[in-house]
Amino acid sequence: MKVGIIRFPGSNCDDDAWFAIVESLKEEAVMLWHKDHDLQGADVVILPGGFSYGDYLRAGAIARFSPIMREVAAHAGRGGIVIGICNGFQIACEAHLLPGALLRNDVGYRSLPVTIRVESTDSPMTSAATVGQCLTMPIAHGEGRFTLPDAELDRLEDQAQVLFRYVDASGQPTAAANPNGSMRNIAGICNVGRNVVGLMPHPERAMDPLLGSRDGLVLFESLLATVNA
Amino acid sequence: MKLRVPVQVLPRHGILDPQGKAVTDALHTLGFAQVGDVHVGRHLAIEVEAASPAAASDAVRAMCAKLLANPVTEDFVIGAPEAM
């Protein structure tokens, strides 16, 4: 598996993503500058976390017009896998690769470990997990409140595009377990084609017991299994 | 002609606006009991070269659709273009 990690001005989880792919998975990764026009043959594109362009205007709004995003959209259009993590999720929504928007949290910036529940295994990032599996990993964002008009939200649920929900210790999606006010506790989704995935929590920062959790590993193992299938 | 076009971008009505809520609460704390809801958005002043004020407004409308406002969650109002 070859993973292309896009580096925007202000990305700050690009090295974490590289570490997850190269050190934890022992797979190949290449850093791609946002002004590049070539994905260098990557099977998977990761849009990493950070504060691209200082979150000016809206988080992800400027990054989506970076030159390389044209190639990323073409890759997604061909069915190629694109993973947006945190700011990458915001960028993917702004680029209309994923539905919805990520608005300012209902209670300000949050940085803490959360528990998310896998809602569907029909995606490149959850294929090796099980439905109902609860994973602990960190979030760190000020704008992660997933928002979509109700009718579209119903369609998203009907098509099993919700991949992750924030839950409490007993696995229930309660209001108290929702760190940012996301509609229906949604933490991660995929597109209709199921090849573009976005999530606010950081699996790449939960790859080693030293980091407090290695629950992110199953998501990256899913990627590997999907690419090798 | 060179024109300055004002644009207001506000959270769509009905969508939770935590900034607006925080400002409302602060104003109430200060004793401004007459305050109802407050909504916090952005004001942009865009300088454009255009053949007419209508053409300037049309150009800014296209900019709003593409970049300046998020069609999922925000509404925008374009003000009257002013000569510079």
Side-chain angles (χ1 to χ4, degrees):
Chain A
M1 175 171 71
K2 183 172 179 180
V3 177
I5 301 162
I6 315 277
R7 194 170 251 170
F8 298 95
S11 294
N12 64 11
C13 299
D14 39 354
D15 286 331
D16 303 68
W18 191 91
F19 192 91
I21 300 300
V22 175
E23 295 293 332
S24 301
L25 277 192
K26 311 290 182 200
E27 294 291 320
E28 187 184 355
V30 56
M31 305 304 293
L32 302 171
W33 183 234
H34 71 116
K35 286 188 171 166
D36 288 351
H37 289 276
D38 181 4
L39 299 179
Q40 297 186 28
D43 305 299
V44 174
V45 172
I46 293 182
L47 304 172
F51 299 85
S52 58
Y53 293 91
D55 280 349
Y56 291 169
L57 198 60
R58 297 177 305 276
I62 310 276
R64 74 154 288 211
F65 293 106
S66 281
I68 203 159
M69 285 305 291
R70 200 180 287 258
E71 311 311 320
V72 173
H75 176 74
R78 291 190 297 266
I81 298 171
V82 177
I83 307 296
I85 301 170
C86 195
N87 187 221
F89 187 8
Q90 296 161 340
I91 294 168
C93 286
E94 284 284 348
H96 309 303
L97 295 174
L98 289 170
L102 294 149
L103 303 190
R104 200 175 285 260
N105 296 349
D106 57 353
V107 285
Y109 185 87
R110 302 298 303 277
S111 173
L112 74 164
V114 296
T115 303
I116 56 172
R117 187 178 71 192
V118 175
E119 303 290 285
S120 165
T121 54
D122 183 10
S123 89
M125 236 195 166
T126 53
S127 60
T130 53
V131 171
Q133 188 173 357
C134 291
L135 306 168
T136 299
M137 57 189 72
I139 57 163
H141 61 251
E143 297 176 43
R145 175 164 50 101
F146 184 74
T147 303
L148 195 63
D150 276 317
E152 289 180 54
L153 204 52
D154 288 339
R155 196 162 46 207
L156 196 77
E157 302 259 21
D158 290 346
Q159 295 171 339
Q161 287 173 252
V162 177
L163 300 182
F164 306 105
R165 252 183 258 274
Y166 301 107
V167 295
D168 64 13
S170 63
Q172 296 308 306
T174 58
N178 190 340
N180 52 25
S182 284
M183 293 176 103
R184 302 187 196 177
N185 282 46
I186 291 171
I189 61 169
C190 67
N191 64 341
V192 173
R194 313 197 79 83
N195 58 310
V196 180
V197 171
L199 72 167
M200 288 312 295
H202 286 280
E204 82 285 12
R205 293 196 208 164
M207 298 293 284
D208 190 292
L210 275 175
L211 299 173
S213 168
R214 60 200 302 272
D215 286 1
L217 194 57
V218 69
L219 303 187
F220 285 96
E221 285 172 347
S222 297
L223 270 185
L224 184 56
T226 304
V227 169
N228 288 342
Chain B
M1 61 179 86
K2 197 168 185 192
L3 296 157
R4 182 184 284 120
V5 185
V7 186
Q8 251 183 35
V9 182
L10 284 168
R12 182 158 301 154
H13 191 74
I15 285 183
L16 177 68
D17 173 11
Q19 278 193 101
K21 174 90 170 55
V23 174
T24 306
D25 292 350
L27 288 173
H28 287 166
T29 303
L30 288 170
F32 294 104
Q34 68 272 48
V35 172
D37 278 343
V38 177
H39 299 284
V40 178
R42 281 187 299 279
H43 183 94
L44 300 97
I46 301 179
E47 297 175 8
V48 289
E49 191 67 48
S52 68
S57 295
D58 286 348
V60 170
R61 192 167 297 112
M63 295 174 206
C64 286
K66 209 162 181 193
L67 175 66
L68 304 179
N70 185 327
V72 181
T73 58
E74 294 175 322
D75 292 319
F76 60 87
V77 180
I78 299 172
E82 303 156 19
M84 292 180 63

